[in-house]
Amino acid sequence: MTLPTQKDEPTKSTLTQESILVKSNLKGDWPNIFLLLLLYIMQGVPLGIITVTPMLLQSKQNVTYKEQALFSLASWPFSLKLLWAPLVDALYIQKIGRRKSWLIPVQFLMDIVVDGWALTLLQKNNVGYASTCGSMGQVMGIMISAVSFILFTSEDFSNKYLRITHNVGGIVTVKSLFLIWGTLFTVITTLIAIFKNEKDNRLEDNHIKLNTFQSYKLLWDILNLPSVKILAIALLTMMIGFASTDSVVNLKLIDAGVPKDNIMIIQTGMYAVKIIIPVIAVKYTSGPKPISTYLNVTPFRLLCNSLFILLIYYTPELIRNNGVIDIPMYYYMILLIIQMIHDIQYNIMIVALVAFYYRISDTRFGGTYLTLLNTLSNLGMLCSKSAAIGLIDVLTFKECSFDSKNNCSTPNVQNMCKSKGGDCIVIVNGYYVETIAFTIFGIIWYFIFKNILKRLQSKSPSHWQINFQIQEFENDKNAYTMNVKT
């Protein structure tokens, strides 16, 4: 049986054969599953630190949303790993291994190269589980680092829950946490280098050895595939509808008076949900149509934006008693339920999206192809989040309580208002404005791309492959295989 050409649509027999091939069997792959999970946990640790730092800054009450938007750029280098992904495919030491040649040294330097290995580490019929490992592992790493960074360094939390007698500072310092993480990274990486063997990539199906120039040209060729062009537009814009909910809610809760420690406690409970959901979602995302799952959840997640608008609006009233912050238990229950609804939807969508990436990526160029798709979606997410945080101050309008001509637009005029006994009152809250605008954009996006993405999902594998002249390579590979056998 031959694969259809790029112009052909997949026939019924093709789809039937493909459905047979995707049946999974984890026998013999469990050690690799655990290794992937561990590597993604380590990937989540620095992400967790970046995630909770804005909460720590906001609790100081002297940081503007413009400054928070500037800090959000700290997440960008992780999503720009596309720039060196072709090097991972092109430059390596054969005796060490195609992936380990990069994994070992860069992980010692607190960076991770995992995605490309995920495509070949697991058996082909189990590759759909790589997205589950990625989602679960990153969440676990984020949870561990976030909890330790916010709660274990908090004097109030430590004295209330972790100590018998009160003391100054948290049970650990930020400096000691970095020392602990660095030591663990070093030990685990050394063990992987010694005990985990990587299979010879020259025996991988359709393996092609490219030099550095060809690898970067390959990146351009992937982007020029008609299907990838359309997908790229969708990936760069798909997260705009959820940007304010994903990036601003916790900061607005802190502004309203909800303690960051209590928010982190709720977030910790949510991490358990985030770990469990990928395991449940894999039933729906490991099949041939994971993008359908993503699209089915999208309208409900857009609707969830309105729940956060109501929550932020009523929070100041619900958490105060005669002007004093006194947060009742039922408020935390409301926050927990809304956050759980949001996180379940978010994680199902992410697992489905990544499963789609693994399904369409050309395994011959896994590191470059998969990283390109991840980079496109991550850039779309980061751009929308940075914009959402930065627009808060722009779209928020205030005035001094006793002087309507004082718009409280700068720290100087704010201090002037307060020095005369006044208060800067919010007339228009930028969070509400941008959330409504982003939600409308998300609805429009959904109706534009719904059928487009479904058609992309049903395309045959040839639509996603790069054409290379590999006859000479195949002859070399056959000769190499014969030498290995003899």
Side-chain angles (χ1 to χ4, degrees):
M1 176 180 168
T2 58
L3 288 174
T5 62
Q6 191 157 346
K7 295 181 180 180
D8 295 334
E9 290 299 323
T11 63
K12 182 177 180 180
S13 60
T14 302
L15 293 176
T16 303
Q17 180 69 15
E18 183 179 353
S19 65
I20 293 174
L21 292 175
V22 299
K23 290 183 179 179
S24 59
N25 182 358
L26 292 177
K27 184 178 180 180
D29 246 352
W30 280 111
N32 294 326
I33 290 285
F34 288 127
L35 175 59
L36 272 183
L37 187 63
L38 176 62
L39 291 174
Y40 278 115
I41 288 174
M42 297 171 71
Q43 190 178 89
V45 169
L47 296 179
I49 296 174
I50 293 174
T51 299
V52 299
T53 299
M55 294 173 57
L56 189 62
L57 295 175
Q58 199 71 15
S59 66
K60 303 298 182 182
Q61 297 183 343
N62 60 354
V63 176
T64 66
Y65 281 94
K66 183 182 294 184
E67 291 169 330
Q68 288 280 19
L70 182 61
F71 176 78
S72 70
L73 299 179
S75 302
W76 285 53
F78 174 79
S79 296
L80 293 176
K81 56 186 179 180
L82 171 71
L83 297 178
W84 65 81
L87 296 177
V88 178
D89 279 339
L91 303 177
Y92 53 87
I93 301 172
Q94 188 64 53
K95 288 185 178 180
I96 297 178
R98 187 181 187 182
R99 314 300 179 188
K100 284 176 62 179
S101 295
W102 285 86
L103 180 76
I104 303 306
V106 299
Q107 194 152 296
F108 276 127
L109 297 174
M110 293 296 290
D111 198 357
I112 312 293
V113 181
V114 180
D115 294 343
W117 201 5
L119 283 173
T120 55
L121 187 61
L122 301 179
Q123 300 174 38
K124 293 186 182 300
N125 56 333
N126 293 330
V127 73
Y129 285 92
S131 65
T132 305
C133 292
S135 299
M136 289 180 61
Q138 283 191 2
V139 168
M140 292 171 69
I142 291 172
M143 177 187 71
I144 295 169
S145 62
V147 168
S148 60
F149 193 69
I150 289 289
L151 298 183
F152 293 170
T153 62
S154 168
E155 180 177 328
D156 291 338
F157 182 84
S158 297
N159 287 334
K160 188 174 183 180
Y161 297 105
L162 304 177
R163 289 192 178 113
I164 299 177
T165 58
H166 288 195
N167 204 342
V168 178
I171 60 171
V172 292
T173 64
V174 173
K175 180 179 179 180
S176 61
L177 279 177
F178 278 115
L179 177 61
I180 292 170
W181 292 132
T183 302
L184 285 175
F185 269 60
T186 301
V187 171
I188 293 173
T189 304
T190 302
L191 292 175
I192 293 174
I194 296 172
F195 296 107
K196 177 58 181 176
N197 294 323
E198 185 176 356
K199 68 179 181 181
D200 196 325
N201 63 288
R202 290 172 292 185
L203 297 178
E204 294 175 5
D205 292 340
N206 296 324
H207 165 69
I208 298 176
K209 170 64 176 170
L210 302 178
N211 59 39
T212 305
F213 173 78
Q214 290 171 326
S215 293
Y216 280 99
K217 183 179 182 300
L218 168 66
L219 187 63
W220 179 252
D221 291 338
I222 296 173
L223 282 169
N224 275 317
L225 288 174
S227 297
V228 173
K229 285 181 180 179
I230 299 172
L231 180 61
I233 298 173
L235 295 178
L236 289 170
T237 55
M238 67 193 335
M239 293 298 178
I240 294 177
F242 320 110
S244 57
T245 297
D246 291 343
S247 57
V248 182
V249 167
N250 286 336
L251 304 183
K252 298 302 291 185
L253 291 175
I254 292 173
D255 283 345
V258 182
K260 73 178 190 312
D261 291 355
N262 294 351
I263 294 176
M264 193 67 248
I265 292 173
I266 293 177
Q267 291 289 334
T268 302
M270 290 300 98
Y271 286 128
V273 175
K274 294 176 182 179
I275 293 171
I276 295 172
I277 288 301
V279 179
I280 300 174
V282 72
K283 176 181 178 181
Y284 306 97
T285 60
S286 61
K289 295 183 178 181
I291 207 67
S292 295
T293 302
Y294 181 96
L295 294 170
N296 290 338
V297 178
T298 297
F300 296 100
R301 192 169 171 217
L302 289 171
L303 182 62
C304 192
N305 288 348
S306 61
L307 295 179
F308 282 103
I309 288 179
L310 294 173
L311 177 68
I312 298 299
Y313 181 80
Y314 285 107
T315 288
E317 180 180 337
L318 293 174
I319 68 173
R320 282 177 170 81
N321 185 7
N322 295 325
V324 179
I325 294 180
D326 182 17
I327 306 177
M329 184 58 65
Y330 73 81
Y331 174 82
Y332 286 118
M333 292 301 299
I334 293 173
L335 177 58
L336 178 66
I337 292 171
I338 295 177
Q339 193 67 54
M340 183 178 297
I341 294 172
H342 169 269
D343 287 359
I344 289 174
Q345 294 172 341
Y346 174 82
N347 282 276
I348 290 175
M349 293 173 72
I350 293 300
V351 172
L353 196 60
V354 176
F356 180 61
Y357 297 162
Y358 281 112
R359 188 155 302 283
I360 65 176
S361 294
D362 190 335
T363 57
R364 298 173 299 171
F365 321 108
T368 301
Y369 208 122
L370 190 61
T371 303
L372 170 63
L373 298 177
N374 277 315
T375 297
L376 291 171
S377 58
N378 286 341
L379 282 178
M381 182 185 299
L382 291 172
C383 287
S384 58
K385 282 186 175 182
S386 296
I389 297 173
L391 285 173
I392 292 290
D393 284 339
V394 176
L395 298 175
T396 297
F397 297 93
K398 303 177 181 178
E399 67 177 34
C400 188
S401 55
F402 68 88
D403 183 6
S404 59
K405 294 181 180 179
N406 184 338
N407 60 9
C408 295
S409 58
T410 65
N412 288 335
V413 293
Q414 290 173 13
N415 292 333
M416 186 182 301
C417 175
K418 293 178 180 179
S419 65
K420 296 181 180 180
D423 254 332
C424 288
I425 301 173
V426 175
I427 306 301
V428 177
N429 193 317
Y431 169 75
Y432 305 132
V433 176
E434 73 172 27
T435 302
I436 293 172
F438 287 168
T439 302
I440 293 173
F441 180 93
I443 294 171
I444 296 172
W445 182 95
Y446 176 76
F447 284 107
I448 291 176
F449 284 100
K450 178 181 178 182
N451 292 328
I452 293 175
L453 290 176
K454 285 185 176 180
R455 285 195 295 269
L456 289 179
Q457 176 181 242
S458 64
K459 287 183 179 295
S460 63
S462 62
H463 284 82
W464 306 99
Q465 291 182 341
I466 306 297
N467 293 324
F468 268 82
Q469 299 296 327
I470 61 173
Q471 187 61 46
E472 182 178 348
F473 163 77
E474 288 294 339
N475 294 335
D476 292 341
K477 179 181 177 181
N478 291 336
Y480 172 78
T481 305
M482 291 178 63
N483 289 333
V484 169
K485 290 180 178 180
T486 57

